Amino acid sequence: MRIAVIGGGPGGLHFAALAKQLAPEREITLWERNAPDDTFGFGVVFSDETLDGIEQADPEVFRAVSAEFARWRDIDVHYRGRRLTSGGHGFAALERRRLLAILRERCAGLGVDLRFGTEAPPAEQLTAEYDLVVAADGVHSATRQRHAEQFRPELDERGCRYIWLATDRVFEAFTFIVEQTDFGVLQVHAYPYNDRRSTFIVELGEAAWRRSGLAEDPDGVGRLERLLADHLAGHRLIAGNSRWITFSTVRNARWHHGNLVLLGDAAHTAHFSIGSGTKLAMEDALALAACLHEQPDVPGALAAYEAERRPVVESTQRAAQASLEWFESIAGYVGQGAEQFAFNLLTRSRRVTYDNLRERDPEFVAEVDAWFDRGADRGDDRPATPPMFHPYRLGALTLHNRIVVPPLASYTAVDGVPGEFDAAQFTAHALGGAGLVLAGMTAVSPQGRATPDCPGLYTDGQEQAWRRIVTAARLIPGTRLGIQLTHAGRRAATGTPGPDGIGPALPTERGGWPTLAASPLPWDPGGPPPREASRAELAEITREFAAAAARADRAGFDVLELQLGHGHLLSGFLSPLTNRRTDEFGGTLAARLRYPLRVVAAVRAVWPADKPLLARISATDWAAGGTTAQDAVRIARALAGAGVDAIDVSTGEVVAEQRPRYGRSYQTPFADLIRNATGLPVIAVGAISGHDDANSILLAGRADLVAVGRAHLHDPLWTLHAAADQGYTGPGAPWPPAWLPGSRKPPGPRADRVSPRLVLLRTPAEPVHRRWLPKPDPDRSR
């Protein structure tokens, strides 16, 4: 087999060495247009996971790099004149130049034909002459650009400017520096990579960068040395090839075409704040070499490589996206206290969480917990309470913890009357320990039901049924009960939803009815169009919302939520994609807000002042031309001005052509944005299913309350079981007296077995804190 490799970075070299090692008879040629000693960047960081892969795949390379690693376990956060340290993380770094030299030597020793300082022939020529062509030619891959039609690249250029430098100050840990300057927030990502130097990346937002004048700095680094003098401690900054650039996230619809395949940054990138570029490239190399060895032919190998690596890369890119967006929004967090800010920074990618951080460094998490307790006015000596079990003041109401059961439709009502299953579900969730339980998707009129099986609150019979349900659910004192009111608009008259949450439109002969909306736009392109609601109809719907709110009060609910998201009627007015009106209710955002605000005002007028009013919104439509982040902030402020006490921040379901970026707690950044931009109380919702994530969200200040939906369908006692798992027995998790014997997790099989000692000498536990403290070089002092 003849293999051509374009690009002599870590990914290309590592692949060439592994592929030659697995089959010495292969003829492998590698082209690199730069000279061997030309390199970009100063140091590279490895995870333990990647190192394990290198050790298993090529022990010789592993021994060589390990001998020169800078190793440490701490992360330092410098913020507001303080240094906060979290340990137990585990880092290994190496000078990029040395890594490349080690890989070149390995390739040369195995017989790879290395051609440095030489442009590779065009990929189309190589694919005709070689059995396999590996394009590892970096983020600006010429190969990818020439074959864009096949790979279909997507480049997401971000909004911060950064410069990649080095310093002769040897930091002792991974160091984040956050400084507020007269031109904006400036952040530094720094880490040691040998006993002489550290990588030093400076980043700031586009507007702050333009105000700073750093672009015009003649020597490139002199101004930064002065700005960061306290952190450099008399040491200098060292410029390389990097200048003030923006980061581009690279994604490709395909990674291979014929016998041509992309590897490393040519195929994908992930933001440097999670230190993943070299890691991903070398993992790609290992997987590609392995698949080439395991599969019978090149097409099978390339298909297997992409199938294996794409999910791993996409997971990393999700974490990197969360991290880079956090740093882009850092100006919104610099008002936080030092403990919360440090915790927020460490958990920004959602890969490091509350529990995970506590396993790594219990003292650090205990310090942040204690800070959170002080903020909650805890004045006793009890152990710190997990954040989710702190009480919360919502309007004039106190919730005994921060967990919300969101509206969960059961589709079991008859003529809008909630039945036995609705009662059983609501009572079970009320017994399950959450601070607030919301009954869901309750229509204000027959035409406003999403399906014929949805409950309503527009008749005396429905009101009486809800009153019975509320009375039965008040078995635990202090549990707060609420209901969500809606008019489904163009999403009305549908069948029971399938797994995607979208029900098919019902024709009249199957129980459907005419629908109305802000504009006559069908949900599906081929679906029945709704009628554009007239002013008279809108006035009547406003009265229906107010009447339903009054019924909710008489039924005994503590909290009321209005559905202004998910493409329902009020949501249809807010989004520019669904509101094409030319009257006073259409056009600018201020105009689109007019009708929803009228409904809120009418409801607030009849809903008691001492009972909280919530509003759920879709903070993004996940579609081009839809609601923007700035729109969501303005909508939240307008709702608060109309009397809403908290914003329930959801996303999407506004248009059928949406493209959500699903993932664990994927909607939380929008709650975070609104909370930190407005100071309003927010509820985070969406793919939150573990108490670890709930605690992380609350402790980082991303939300005030956390809604846990599907996990409560899986386990109605989710909140109480979360308390048991965390060893919490305080007032934030009240068990029903009859169930107290079950408040401890029952022992499983072999739970009574005590394991014997089977090792003669125990391996000492890794210390939580380890600094990079290289030994002095006696030759350097001469």
Side-chain angles (χ1 to χ4, degrees):
M1 179 178 286
R2 301 182 72 224
I3 300 174
V5 181
I6 306 171
L13 288 167
H14 193 42
F15 166 76
L18 293 177
K20 188 73 171 176
Q21 178 181 301
L22 288 171
E25 70 278 8
R26 288 173 178 154
E27 178 188 325
I28 302 178
T29 306
L30 181 148
W31 285 267
E32 169 55 57
R33 65 182 180 181
N34 294 307
D37 290 333
D38 291 345
T39 185
F40 303 96
F42 294 96
V44 293
V45 179
F46 291 94
S47 68
D48 291 339
E49 187 177 58
T50 305
L51 290 177
D52 288 344
I54 296 173
E55 183 178 20
Q56 180 274 331
D58 197 333
E60 185 171 325
V61 168
F62 178 78
R63 282 192 296 271
V65 296
S66 295
E68 300 189 34
F69 275 147
R71 290 184 179 273
W72 69 95
R73 294 175 65 81
D74 282 354
I75 297 176
D76 289 346
V77 179
H78 293 260
Y79 173 73
R80 287 189 172 182
R82 293 180 58 186
R83 186 188 79 184
L84 292 92
T85 299
S86 170
H89 298 276
F91 295 98
L94 182 69
E95 184 181 16
R96 181 179 172 86
R97 192 186 305 269
R98 280 298 301 140
L99 172 64
L100 292 172
I102 290 167
L103 291 172
R104 286 198 306 271
E105 290 166 10
R106 181 64 169 145
C107 284
L110 289 166
V112 176
D113 181 1
L114 299 176
R115 301 182 183 182
F116 281 85
T118 307
E119 285 281 356
E124 51 270 26
Q125 176 185 332
L126 293 175
T127 55
E129 297 175 0
Y130 287 79
D131 301 296
L132 172 64
V133 180
V134 180
D137 48 347
V139 64
H140 301 297
S141 169
T143 308
R144 184 187 66 229
Q145 293 170 10
R146 281 198 300 268
H147 298 271
E149 186 175 337
Q150 286 76 36
F151 296 122
R152 302 200 303 278
E154 174 192 332
L155 275 65
D156 178 14
E157 187 171 344
R158 304 307 302 188
C160 280
R161 294 277 181 165
Y162 71 96
I163 184 168
W164 202 295
L165 307 169
T167 175
D168 56 2
R169 178 177 181 185
V170 181
F171 286 95
E172 297 180 1
F174 207 117
T175 302
F176 292 101
I177 299 167
V178 179
E179 287 286 343
Q180 290 180 273
T181 70
D182 57 356
F183 52 80
V185 180
L186 180 149
Q187 62 252 23
V188 174
H189 314 244
Y191 57 87
Y193 59 83
N194 58 28
D195 59 357
R196 300 177 303 282
R197 289 185 177 179
S198 302
T199 293
F200 198 88
I201 307 167
V202 184
E203 183 182 28
L204 67 167
E206 176 79 18
W209 175 71
R210 293 195 179 280
R211 288 192 298 266
S212 71
L214 287 165
E216 291 77 42
D217 188 5
D219 62 2
V221 297
R223 176 98 183 278
L224 286 175
E225 286 182 338
R226 294 189 292 274
L227 283 168
L228 297 164
D230 290 345
H231 301 285
L232 291 169
H235 292 267
R236 64 192 177 100
L237 291 177
I238 303 161
N241 294 309
S242 176
R243 285 296 179 265
W244 292 105
I245 57 175
T246 58
F247 184 84
S248 291
T249 299
V250 175
R251 300 178 178 90
N252 284 278
R254 295 191 61 191
W255 293 1
H256 70 280
H257 172 69
N259 63 339
L260 174 63
V261 63
L262 302 178
L263 184 147
D265 283 354
H268 47 70
T269 60
H271 193 247
F272 57 81
S273 61
I274 65 169
S276 57
T278 301
K279 160 188 161 64
L280 287 176
M282 295 188 73
E283 289 176 356
D284 280 358
L286 187 153
L288 180 57
C291 290
L292 198 62
H293 184 70
E294 294 164 351
Q295 301 298 321
D297 53 30
V298 168
L302 299 189
Y305 157 72
E306 183 166 346
E308 178 181 327
R309 286 296 295 161
R310 185 177 284 278
V312 177
V313 168
E314 289 177 349
S315 174
T316 302
Q317 285 186 320
R318 283 193 296 272
Q321 188 78 8
S323 180
L324 77 84
E325 288 177 359
W326 191 92
F327 280 109
E328 285 179 343
S329 306
I330 197 168
Y333 304 121
V334 292
Q336 292 183 329
E339 291 85 357
Q340 185 174 48
F341 181 88
F343 179 87
N344 197 353
L345 186 153
L346 293 171
T347 60
R348 67 195 181 278
S349 72
R350 301 197 290 273
R351 283 195 163 179
V352 177
T353 60
Y354 178 82
D355 284 353
N356 177 265
L357 206 52
R358 185 167 53 184
E359 287 180 11
R360 300 181 187 202
D361 189 347
E363 289 185 4
F364 174 80
V365 174
E367 183 181 355
V368 183
D369 274 340
W371 170 86
F372 199 79
D373 272 5
R374 290 194 299 272
D377 295 325
R378 273 275 304 273
D380 53 45
D381 295 326
R382 287 177 296 164
T385 298
M388 63 183 285
F389 292 115
H390 279 274
Y392 184 73
R393 187 79 170 171
L394 180 62
L397 204 65
T398 298
L399 309 182
H400 61 242
N401 63 45
R402 306 292 185 99
I403 300 301
V404 177
V405 179
L408 299 168
S410 66
Y411 305 105
T412 59
V414 178
D415 294 328
V417 178
E420 292 181 1
F421 191 88
D422 289 289
Q425 176 173 283
F426 195 65
T427 303
H429 289 147
L431 290 171
L436 172 62
V437 180
L438 294 171
M441 216 156 72
T442 305
V444 299
S445 69
Q447 294 74 27
R449 291 173 298 162
T451 77
D453 305 316
C454 286
L457 194 45
Y458 47 84
T459 70
D460 292 343
Q462 294 163 358
E463 181 183 327
Q464 291 164 7
W466 281 119
R467 187 182 298 116
R468 287 192 296 271
I469 290 172
V470 169
T471 301
R474 290 205 184 278
L475 297 174
I476 298 296
T479 299
R480 305 302 185 177
L481 307 175
I483 189 168
Q484 182 194 74
L485 298 181
T486 189
H487 188 298
R490 70 177 188 151
R491 297 195 61 189
T494 63
T496 301
D500 62 355
I502 309 297
L506 286 177
T508 305
E509 61 271 18
R510 292 181 51 204
W513 57 87
T515 60
L516 53 76
S519 296
L521 303 172
W523 170 262
D524 291 315
R531 188 177 72 258
E532 181 171 296
S534 68
R535 288 184 178 86
E537 287 169 325
L538 293 177
E540 177 59 25
I541 291 169
T542 303
R543 288 190 288 272
E544 289 169 346
F545 267 101
R551 289 185 182 278
D553 179 38
R554 293 195 296 269
F557 285 104
D558 305 304
V559 177
L560 184 66
E561 178 170 277
L562 299 179
Q563 172 63 286
L564 280 83
H566 295 181
H568 287 220
L569 180 69
L570 301 182
S571 169
F573 279 86
L574 294 174
S575 172
L577 297 178
T578 53
N579 185 342
R580 306 289 174 80
R581 298 176 74 99
T582 57
D583 60 7
E584 70 269 29
F585 301 126
T588 65
L589 178 58
R592 300 198 304 273
L593 269 163
R594 282 193 183 111
Y595 180 66
L597 291 179
R598 284 188 186 180
V599 172
V600 173
V603 167
R604 186 76 270 186
V606 300
W607 184 247
D610 61 344
K611 290 188 175 184
L613 178 62
L614 314 178
R616 171 172 282 202
I617 67 170
S618 287
T620 179
D621 300 337
W622 297 115
T627 299
T628 66
Q630 293 75 21
D631 290 342
V633 170
R634 288 180 60 193
I635 290 168
R637 285 193 175 118
L639 292 172
V644 169
D645 295 290
I647 309 298
D648 187 352
V649 186
S650 187
T651 65
E653 297 189 42
V654 175
V655 291
E657 63 270 23
Q658 65 175 357
R659 293 293 180 268
R661 297 174 186 166
Y662 290 121
R664 206 178 90 250
S665 63
Y666 71 106
Q667 296 179 147
T668 299
F670 296 95
D672 187 354
L673 166 71
I674 290 172
R675 184 180 190 269
N676 286 290
T678 67
L680 296 172
V682 301
I683 304 171
V685 64
I688 303 168
S689 58
H691 58 76
D692 188 12
D693 281 334
N695 284 324
S696 299
I697 289 166
L698 294 166
L699 194 54
R702 297 176 187 130
D704 301 280
L705 299 168
V706 174
V708 178
R710 293 191 180 187
H712 271 111
L713 293 177
H714 175 74
D715 176 10
L717 303 188
W718 182 91
T719 304
L720 294 178
H721 290 157
D725 287 346
Q726 296 173 82
Y728 175 75
T729 58
W735 278 80
W739 291 354
L740 272 176
S743 61
R744 293 185 179 181
K745 194 171 184 178
R750 295 168 61 92
D752 58 346
R753 181 178 184 271
V754 179
S755 299
R757 176 173 176 156
L758 297 175
V759 294
L760 180 61
L761 297 175
R762 291 190 178 94
T763 304
E766 278 277 344
V768 170
H769 295 288
R770 177 178 174 180
R771 315 288 285 179
W772 173 238
L773 299 170
K775 295 178 181 178
D777 183 350
D779 294 331
R780 196 174 304 144
S781 61
R782 297 195 192 110

